[in-house]
Amino acid sequence: MKEMVINKGDMAGLLTELAGEMTVIAPAKKGDNLLFEPISDGSKAVLDSANTRLSPKGVLFPQCEQMMTFTTDRKQARLVAAENAGIMQDVKPLDQGQVIWGIRPCDTAGFLILDKVFNQGGAEYEDAYYLRRREKTAIVGLGCNKPLSTCFCTSFDNGGPFATNGLDVLLTEVGDKYVVTVLTDKGEALLKGKNGLSEADSASIDQAGQIKDAALKLVYSSIKADKIKGKTTMELFDDPCWDTLYETCMACGVCTYSCPTCHCFDIQDEMIDTEGVRMRNWDSCMFSLFTAHATGHNPRPTKKERFKQRFMHKFKYFQEKFDRIACVGCGRCIQLCPVNIDVRQVVKEMNR
Amino acid sequence: MNNPYIPKPVRIEEIITETEDRNLKTFKLAFLNKEDEQAFRYTPGQFAELSIAGKGEIPIGIASSPTEKGHLLFTVNKVGVVTTQLHNMSVGEVMGVRGPLGKPYPIDKLEGKNVVIVSGGFAFTTLRSTIAYMLENRERFGNITVIYGARTPGMLLYKDQLKEWQDRDDIDMHVTVDKKAEGWTGKVGFVPAVTKEVAPSADNTYVLVCGPPIMIKFTQPVLTELGFTPETIIMSLENRMKCGIGVCGRCNVGPNYVCKDGPVFTLAELNEMPKEY
Ligand SMILES: Cc1cc2nc3c(=O)[nH]c(=O)nc-3n(C[C@H](O)[C@H](O)[C@H](O)COP(=O)(O)OP(=O)(O)OC[C@H]3O[C@@H](n4cnc5c(N)ncnc54)[C@H](O)[C@@H]3O)c2cc1C
Ligand code: SF4
Ligand code: SF4
Ligand code: FES
């Protein structure tokens, strides 16, 4: 572990320099929203604001992405099939490395959860699209000096506003500087010889420690889910709490789109003339068509079952499969839900 | 890096219209590349994603048996976008297959045991695979009893094969139709009733049940009455799917993904799971 410092005024220069070597993705304004966006001008990075509206999961698992391309010229299919028609060609993976700069520890934990989903062991279960990006991506975190009232990143298995799990580098805002903690070889290689960085002085390191301790105290909601593991799936599934919790939900899907750990997707073919692409797009278990069969049968026929699925998945099913809860406490779903459904309240009911 | 989403190219070798309503066709597919054929090692009960460029992919049970080399069989009911396109395709055209996917029937557990197969309608597909496999390895299994029903004689799948099996003396076939029909000399009656009448012994026996929900609902009590325990009743689920490899989050029933942890489950396992199928 190596500690360095950089003056705030030098950060834009460093990011611009980095952007000459690789894709730099940082919180930046897009219209009214703060989102993780590729930047080439380091001064566009916004590191002194609350977390982004959408999680950065899209950097590794885009909202829409091409999976393969094809042509459907039927005649060709019969003549030169092995070459061409009707046959799927994988898209080209990223040829350039990338860095996600200024990700919060909660969203980093989101990637650690997605890692479990997209790599379940054995070549037949490796999600090539996610993993090819993942291996080309360095992750530079930004600790949260001022967690919000909706944050609960110390709950469950999550490490709080300065957790370093999954990070290559952690930035801590200390007055007019950032303390830059290098955590991995990847982080070391990323920052080697960059302008603006210097060895950290002990005063800055001490201050960073104090800021971290103070921030931990600011995360005042601590949510217990300890009893959920001990209950059977059917006990929780049949719990009467579901009879009312779902009632105000409008099934808009905002919670799933903004969530760093929601990973459901759809696969669709799109065509122009005889040229086509197979795409994957985010989908949501909150939508009624999600599970509907071609015959009209729907295993989750009402909003109640669909609402229940989202929470059962994150807090029960995921835990059974991967031995951790699939919520990182970022609070986005609480902030954005149009009818004020609060995941903390739902978990409280499940944990009774 | 391997990319499990890329379908392997296959050519349609033959298309057989199975039923009188012409809604069910069997597609005989052969891999274009020898390596792909060799890599596609499957066991009865597994399924594959059939891919049609420009239309999409559908999960379909593998109806052929691994003992039938050189091609794969899939029997497809015409219901929506992809299945309709498939029904409109012709011999010689190229499409894709991705798999094999899912957990098969527990063939190793069935070895040395009697096996009863109860099926209705077009859910018979992976059971055709199982029967063909068992007959090819006949000495490894005890008695084999098959109860299979359709609405009418014209709606039965694999008619030629059924006749062949009925002529053998090492498999006990009970083919039934819902109502009396002209020229039909076989059994008449619904599958649960015929199961009750045939009354296979539950002793040292596994039963594989696959069919429409209504058939399953009425067959289950009959099997329980005959002494089958939930551990010996084996079923197969069909949830809506996309990825087929436990990633896209679409097909779960409780903590289990039907595509990866299923589609084959014992009744004992299903009893612990929500009825979201
Ligand atoms: C494990 C498994 C085995 C199956 N085996 C067979 C079989 O042997 N023969 C057969 O005829 N059918 C089988 N089905 C059902 C078959 O997959 C659907 O009928 C088919 O996907 C409908 O596609 P469509 O495009 O024609 O319908 P549309 O309604 O146009 O569907 C669009 C998309 O929805 C999805 N979808 C819709 N209904 C279903 C469904 N019931 N199950 C899964 N996905 C669905 C598919 O991804 C499809 O591409 C099986 C399903 C599963 C899960
Ligand atoms: S469920 Fe809500 S709080 Fe938890 S990770 Fe998802 S968006 Fe954040
Ligand atoms: S954001 Fe709120 S209203 Fe919208 S689907 Fe989620 S819980 Fe329901
Ligand atoms: S089909 Fe994607 S998880 Fe089962």
Side-chain angles (χ1 to χ4, degrees):
Chain A
M1 198 172 90
K2 190 162 132 195
E3 307 269 20
M4 294 189 286
V5 285
I6 184 168
N7 285 325
K8 280 189 176 167
D10 293 333
M11 185 63 100
L14 181 141
L15 289 176
T16 305
E17 189 185 348
L18 263 180
E21 298 167 13
M22 62 178 68
T23 308
V24 174
I25 298 159
K29 275 275 177 206
K30 195 174 184 190
D32 285 342
N33 295 319
L34 193 65
L35 294 169
F36 276 88
E37 290 286 322
I39 54 167
S40 47
D41 170 0
S43 69
K44 293 275 187 280
V46 180
L47 299 174
D48 56 357
S49 173
N51 204 354
T52 52
R53 194 168 175 90
L54 291 182
S55 87
K57 76 177 166 192
V59 176
L60 298 184
F61 170 46
Q63 185 165 350
C64 298
E65 74 175 305
Q66 294 195 0
M67 304 178 82
M68 43 202 112
T69 56
F70 55 86
T71 153
T72 59
D73 187 334
R74 284 280 172 70
K75 236 187 228 137
Q76 248 182 356
R78 294 209 181 89
L79 296 174
V80 287
E83 288 273 313
N84 212 320
I87 295 178
M88 299 287 167
Q89 309 290 339
D90 200 352
V91 293
K92 277 210 191 71
L94 289 183
D95 47 9
Q96 165 158 290
Q98 59 182 15
V99 58
I100 307 178
W101 193 276
I103 185 175
R104 306 300 170 123
C106 58
D107 288 338
T108 313
F111 283 134
L112 298 178
I113 286 169
L114 294 184
D115 286 349
K116 290 184 190 284
V117 174
F118 287 115
N119 188 1
Q120 295 184 34
E124 70 269 43
Y125 298 115
E126 286 175 3
D127 189 287
Y129 304 98
Y130 178 88
L131 294 172
R132 289 188 301 215
R133 284 198 193 88
R134 183 72 163 110
E135 82 188 359
K136 290 223 174 222
T137 306
I139 301 190
V140 176
L142 172 62
C144 285
N145 294 13
K146 290 194 204 102
L148 305 176
S149 63
T150 45
C151 295
F152 54 109
C153 57
T154 52
S155 302
F156 321 137
D157 313 298
N158 303 306
F162 282 83
T164 54
N165 288 348
L167 292 179
D168 296 304
V169 175
L170 173 71
L171 307 175
T172 307
E173 185 187 358
V174 177
D176 58 357
K177 294 189 223 91
Y178 289 100
V179 169
V180 181
T181 311
V182 180
L183 297 156
T184 64
D185 293 345
K186 206 174 189 173
E188 173 93 44
L190 181 79
L191 296 180
K192 198 165 179 211
K194 290 288 169 304
N195 287 318
L197 289 165
S198 59
E199 189 108 357
D201 51 292
S202 59
S204 299
I205 295 175
D206 286 351
Q207 250 181 303
Q210 285 158 20
I211 285 170
K212 177 179 161 178
D213 293 342
L216 264 174
K217 292 194 189 101
L218 285 175
V219 185
Y220 71 84
S221 30
S222 162
I223 310 303
K224 287 209 165 36
D226 54 313
K227 294 196 192 118
I228 291 179
K229 201 170 178 173
K231 298 191 193 192
T232 65
T233 291
M234 290 317 294
E235 256 178 278
L236 273 169
F237 192 86
D238 292 334
D239 195 292
C241 74
W242 302 116
D243 295 343
T244 46
L245 281 172
Y246 76 97
E247 280 172 343
T248 51
C249 172
M250 307 193 304
C252 66
V254 160
C255 49
T256 58
Y257 274 59
S258 61
C259 178
T261 73
C262 277
H263 58 81
C264 291
F265 61 81
D266 189 18
I267 300 176
Q268 290 288 340
D269 287 5
E270 283 173 21
M271 305 274 317
I272 297 175
D273 294 335
T274 57
E275 299 305 305
V277 285
R278 181 158 290 169
M279 305 282 301
R280 80 164 162 199
N281 309 307
W282 291 353
D283 206 339
S284 172
C285 60
M286 292 299 211
F287 299 156
S288 62
L289 288 180
F290 190 67
T291 50
H293 287 208
T295 54
H297 170 66
N298 194 343
R300 287 189 207 118
T302 73
K303 203 167 64 179
K304 178 176 160 185
E305 290 84 35
R306 301 191 282 270
F307 180 91
K308 174 156 59 172
Q309 161 65 17
R310 178 159 196 270
F311 296 98
M312 284 293 280
H313 180 221
K314 286 206 163 8
F315 297 95
K316 179 63 182 169
Y317 307 154
F318 200 90
Q319 185 162 218
E320 299 229 322
K321 265 208 136 49
F322 298 111
D323 206 28
R324 72 156 293 168
I325 283 172
C327 166
V328 300
C330 73
R332 283 191 183 85
C333 59
I334 307 170
Q335 289 165 3
L336 297 177
C337 176
V339 295
N340 298 324
I341 285 171
D342 189 329
V343 55
R344 295 170 295 188
Q345 196 57 40
V346 177
V347 176
K348 208 163 135 194
E349 296 287 338
M350 293 175 78
N351 200 49
R352 259 186 220 291
Chain B
M1 187 180 286
N2 175 56
N3 184 342
Y5 292 102
I6 309 284
K8 305 291 192 244
V10 292
R11 191 188 307 280
I12 304 177
E13 301 251 286
E14 198 185 336
I15 301 174
I16 305 148
T17 302
E18 295 281 357
T19 52
E20 61 191 0
D21 67 355
R22 308 183 62 80
N23 251 335
L24 278 144
K25 288 185 180 175
T26 295
F27 297 83
K28 185 172 172 183
L29 308 177
F31 286 101
L32 295 191
N33 305 315
K34 206 78 205 152
E35 318 85 80
D36 293 340
E37 181 182 331
Q38 275 156 4
F40 196 98
R41 289 165 182 272
Y42 65 102
T43 305
Q46 288 189 288
F47 68 97
E49 288 281 348
L50 302 188
S51 159
I52 299 177
K55 294 293 174 186
E57 286 188 314
I58 47 169
I60 301 291
I62 308 172
S64 51
S65 153
T67 52
E68 301 166 305
K69 304 264 183 247
H71 65 262
L72 299 172
L73 295 177
F74 296 92
T75 302
V76 179
N77 189 22
K78 186 165 95 176
V79 281
V81 177
V82 184
T83 50
T84 301
Q85 175 66 21
L86 191 54
H87 270 244
N88 289 339
M89 287 175 73
S90 20
V91 169
E93 284 189 273
V94 172
M95 49 181 280
V97 169
R98 184 154 76 76
L101 302 168
K103 230 176 52 185
Y105 288 119
I107 297 291
D108 48 335
K109 273 203 205 152
L110 304 186
E111 284 192 27
K113 301 281 199 288
N114 304 318
V115 180
V116 177
I117 284 177
V118 182
S119 181
F122 67 91
F124 192 51
T125 59
T126 56
L127 295 173
R128 178 208 174 275
S129 167
T130 313
I131 296 168
Y133 180 89
M134 289 194 296
L135 291 178
E136 205 52 44
N137 297 279
R138 190 64 192 87
E139 70 294 345
R140 282 159 50 193
F141 303 90
N143 298 332
I144 302 174
T145 309
V146 176
I147 299 158
Y148 170 47
R151 265 181 287 141
T152 63
M155 290 303 289
L156 289 164
L157 299 180
Y158 319 125
K159 293 179 193 68
D160 294 345
Q161 196 128 41
L162 290 177
K163 275 204 199 78
E164 221 174 274
W165 292 341
Q166 278 168 320
D167 290 342
R168 289 175 72 135
D169 55 11
D170 57 354
I171 174 168
D172 188 15
M173 296 288 298
H174 303 272
V175 180
T176 179
V177 296
D178 289 357
K179 281 191 294 254
K180 275 199 195 109
E182 227 182 271
W184 177 251
T185 54
K187 275 196 163 43
V188 176
F190 295 113
V191 168
V194 174
T195 310
K196 198 165 180 169
E197 181 194 319
V198 174
S201 159
D203 204 32
N204 203 31
T205 306
Y206 277 96
V207 55
L208 313 189
V209 192
C210 212
I214 185 86
M215 182 209 95
I216 292 181
K217 188 173 159 203
F218 288 108
T219 304
Q220 226 166 280
V222 175
L223 293 173
T224 308
E225 209 171 291
L226 289 168
F228 286 94
T229 60
E231 287 74 22
T232 60
I233 301 178
I234 299 168
M235 319 224 270
S236 187
L237 301 186
E238 278 193 11
N239 271 24
R240 187 166 174 175
M241 295 182 177
K242 284 292 171 176
C243 71
I245 55 174
V247 181
C248 77
R250 189 169 302 261
C251 70
N252 75 295
V253 178
N256 298 308
Y257 285 102
V258 175
C259 65
K260 184 167 184 257
D261 307 311
V264 173
F265 294 98
T266 63
L267 180 58
E269 290 168 320
L270 291 178
N271 285 342
E272 313 271 294
M273 289 155 60
K275 302 272 168 292
E276 293 196 327
Y277 43 82

